[in-house]
Amino acid sequence: MAKYIAEPFKIKMIEPIKMTTREERQQYLKEANYNLFSLKSDYVYIDCLTDSGTGSMSDSQWAGIMKGDESYAGARSYYKLIDAVKDIFGYEYAQPVHQGRAAEKVLFPCLLKEGQYSISNMHFDTTRGHVTLCKAIPKDIVVKEATDTENFAPFKGNMDVERMEAFINEVGCDKVGVIIMTITNNSAGGQPVSMENIKETSRIAKKYGIPFVIDAARFAENAYFIKTRESGYEDKSIKDITRETFSYADAFTMSAKKDAIVNMGGLIGIKDNEAMYNAVKGFTVPFEGFVTYGGLAGRDLEALAIGLYEGIDYDFLRYRIGQVQYLGELLKEGEVPFQYPTGGHAIFIDAKRLLPHIPYYQFPAQALACELYLEAGIRGCDIGSYMLDPVDGVQPESEMEFTRLCIPRRVYTKAHLDLIAEALINIKENASKIKGYEIVWQPQVLRHFTAKLKPIE
């Protein structure tokens, strides 16, 4: 029997959700052109599309919203946030922005030139998109263990440091504008990165004079995995592990909509480089707004400052990651293939193994996501070939074809997770009948958000 870790909070407000029939969902999905991002949320029963901004804020955060200082310049809520960043991350400079992709939009032009490479353990979709918009080239160099979804490895999100250094020597260090470490590694299945790997990646970056940036959306979850899986950290606090992690980097970008548990917000952190900070401020003003609000209301800054501390609470993280582990244990009992072990924020179903009859260019992970919605009104998304934009008109093949089911923070209960598992086990029994999809329209960049598809007959 799978073990469930009880919530370290009590619920005092609820939001009703709509129950639909399969026939209704068939029509809703067709109207959305088989793109789950285009579904109205009112038509979704359990929403696992993303954990970005979909969590529940605490009473302290809601109280903080009432105290937010809405001054255009120099608001006290801004300084409260800056103090939190200094305390938790140990960074001298911080710049709020409206969300994580805005942080990338502001920072990357300061680091990347046309034709340069951005190296990462794995770029996520918006990160890859902003690298491309800088006319630079994203290069993923994750460890090979990440592609083995069946067997346990404690840190499948790691950078393959040996291959990374060989690539730098192959192209020349002047051709590498930045090294980005994504923690946890979303595209690899929400898999953590070890402190040893972060430290070694930092050493190589310094050796070749390349800026080292952390994509910090799920920094607290990564710190929890280091505490529970890496020798020498079991007695350290989440805050201490976080401080050490970020000491090895030059800067970070963050979607605060994840581990800071707010509905909107982002951050750029810069350790001690005043010139880089001034460059960031120069882009922030025209792109996001004045530096002391960065596209956010004062109430958002206040909630973010509080949420950063709530996100590093050990009991919360134990429950949070325990939810995902519980769902993984149910799926393992039901023989549904997924990236094992489970990561911090989501279950990544291995659609390549579940639907081997659907080729990558018919998007098996997207097909499974659509089928799960039809089965039980559960919305997930593709993290596979469908997420990869064409290169020179050619559809790339993703190493992994994942259907991602994110678990929003402090939102769903054990009964919801049980239903997700039941639906996936039911789908597995009839997996051979599921058909692939083809794209009938797509934008040039980040197509999966707005593309239109149809089932292959």
Side-chain angles (χ1 to χ4, degrees):
M1 178 65 67
K3 181 182 178 182
Y4 185 80
I5 297 174
E7 290 81 358
F9 54 83
K10 57 185 178 180
I11 299 166
K12 61 180 180 182
M13 187 178 78
I14 60 98
E15 176 185 352
I17 49 181
K18 182 178 179 179
M19 311 289 282
T20 58
T21 66
R22 186 180 182 94
E23 289 72 24
E24 287 174 328
R25 292 193 293 272
Q26 285 173 336
Q27 183 60 31
Y28 297 150
L29 191 58
K30 183 178 180 181
E31 291 171 355
N33 294 293
Y34 302 93
N35 186 329
L36 294 156
F37 284 93
S38 298
L39 275 175
K40 292 182 179 180
S41 63
D42 285 344
Y43 301 157
V44 177
Y45 177 53
I46 301 176
D47 203 346
C48 299
L49 182 73
T50 180
D51 63 324
S52 181
T54 58
S56 295
M57 291 200 298
S58 69
D59 54 354
S60 296
Q61 287 177 295
W62 283 111
I65 280 176
M66 300 304 295
K67 296 170 65 178
D69 181 357
E70 303 301 340
S71 301
Y72 184 93
R76 64 178 175 273
S77 299
Y78 163 80
Y79 290 105
K80 182 174 181 177
L81 175 59
I82 299 307
D83 288 344
V85 171
K86 289 181 179 180
D87 181 39
I88 294 171
F89 300 96
Y91 276 29
E92 182 65 25
Y93 305 108
Q95 177 59 60
V97 289
H98 84 273
Q99 64 181 93
R101 68 193 63 180
E104 296 164 352
K105 178 182 70 175
V106 168
L107 180 61
F108 287 3
C110 303
L111 302 174
L112 286 167
K113 298 176 182 176
E114 183 174 349
Q116 285 188 317
Y117 286 93
S118 167
I119 295 175
S120 179
N121 51 344
M122 290 189 85
H123 298 81
F124 197 57
D125 55 1
T126 60
T127 317
R128 185 180 302 276
H130 280 110
V131 168
T132 303
L133 289 170
C134 290
K135 298 183 178 179
I137 307 161
K139 176 70 175 178
D140 293 336
I141 310 182
V142 69
V143 291
K144 294 189 183 301
E145 291 92 331
T147 61
D148 178 2
T149 62
E150 296 184 68
N151 294 306
F152 180 91
F155 294 102
K156 285 186 175 181
N158 280 355
M159 183 84 76
D160 189 325
V161 177
E162 186 176 325
R163 280 202 297 140
M164 180 186 75
E165 185 167 21
F167 181 78
I168 294 170
N169 286 319
E170 177 188 338
V171 300
C173 59
D174 60 320
K175 289 285 288 181
V176 180
V178 65
I179 295 171
I180 301 171
M181 182 68 85
T182 307
I183 60 172
T184 56
N185 190 333
N186 195 351
S187 295
Q191 295 295 306
V193 179
S194 71
M195 188 72 80
E196 180 183 7
N197 190 253
I198 293 168
K199 187 174 182 179
E200 185 63 10
T201 301
S202 175
R203 183 187 70 80
I204 298 298
K206 286 180 171 58
K207 176 180 176 180
Y208 292 96
I210 301 169
F212 180 36
V213 174
I214 291 176
D215 178 345
R218 299 176 181 87
F219 75 95
E221 292 172 12
N222 201 83
Y224 178 89
F225 281 117
I226 289 173
K227 179 178 177 65
T228 55
R229 292 185 183 175
E230 191 164 0
S231 177
Y233 290 91
E234 54 274 5
D235 295 325
K236 292 184 179 291
S237 70
I238 299 297
K239 183 177 175 182
D240 287 343
I241 294 169
T242 298
R243 289 278 290 227
E244 181 179 348
T245 296
F246 286 84
S247 72
Y248 299 124
D250 300 301
F252 70 78
T253 60
M254 180 193 293
S255 169
K257 297 162 68 178
K258 282 84 169 176
D259 274 359
I261 330 177
V262 290
N263 303 128
M264 186 56 67
L267 280 171
I268 300 168
I270 298 169
K271 184 160 62 177
D272 54 15
N273 188 329
E274 187 176 4
M276 185 186 293
Y277 177 54
N278 287 332
V280 162
K281 288 194 294 183
F283 281 114
T284 298
V285 173
F287 287 165
E288 292 288 289
F290 189 62
V291 292
T292 59
Y293 74 89
L296 293 172
R299 55 185 175 269
D300 295 323
L301 298 171
E302 194 80 23
L304 173 49
I306 296 167
L308 283 170
Y309 286 102
E310 292 186 0
I312 61 174
D313 179 78
Y314 175 80
D315 288 334
F316 161 71
L317 287 168
R318 181 172 175 266
Y319 146 77
R320 159 72 177 158
I321 291 168
Q323 271 198 311
V324 184
Q325 290 172 339
Y326 171 77
L327 179 53
E329 288 168 14
L330 293 178
L331 295 178
K332 197 168 186 182
E333 290 170 8
E335 299 182 345
V336 176
F338 63 92
Q339 174 67 291
Y340 178 79
T342 52
H345 72 286
I347 286 283
F348 288 70
I349 308 301
D350 190 339
K352 187 182 288 188
R353 286 167 56 202
L354 188 63
L355 307 173
H357 60 287
I358 300 179
Y360 75 91
Y361 52 83
Q362 293 180 2
F363 313 125
Q366 177 68 10
L368 178 57
C370 289
E371 189 64 27
L372 183 59
Y373 175 72
L374 292 173
E375 175 73 19
I378 300 163
R379 178 162 64 169
C381 75
D382 171 288
I383 306 292
S385 296
Y386 171 58
M387 194 179 72
L388 299 179
D389 293 331
V391 178
D392 297 325
V394 177
Q395 172 62 54
E397 180 179 2
S398 176
E399 281 192 280
M400 294 161 279
E401 300 286 354
F402 289 139
T403 301
R404 186 186 70 179
L405 300 172
C406 288
I407 310 301
R409 293 161 183 81
R410 306 190 290 209
V411 171
Y412 291 121
T413 66
K414 177 178 180 290
H416 292 110
L417 301 182
D418 290 342
L419 192 146
I420 293 170
E422 181 181 343
L424 284 165
I425 292 167
N426 288 343
I427 288 171
K428 186 204 71 169
E429 299 303 320
N430 297 288
S432 62
K433 298 177 183 178
I434 299 173
K435 296 181 179 180
Y437 286 78
E438 63 178 313
I439 293 173
V440 296
W441 178 87
Q442 60 186 320
Q444 288 187 328
V445 180
L446 294 171
R447 69 162 181 208
H448 63 288
F449 287 116
T450 57
K452 299 177 181 180
L453 304 96
K454 69 175 184 179
I456 292 173
E457 300 301 331

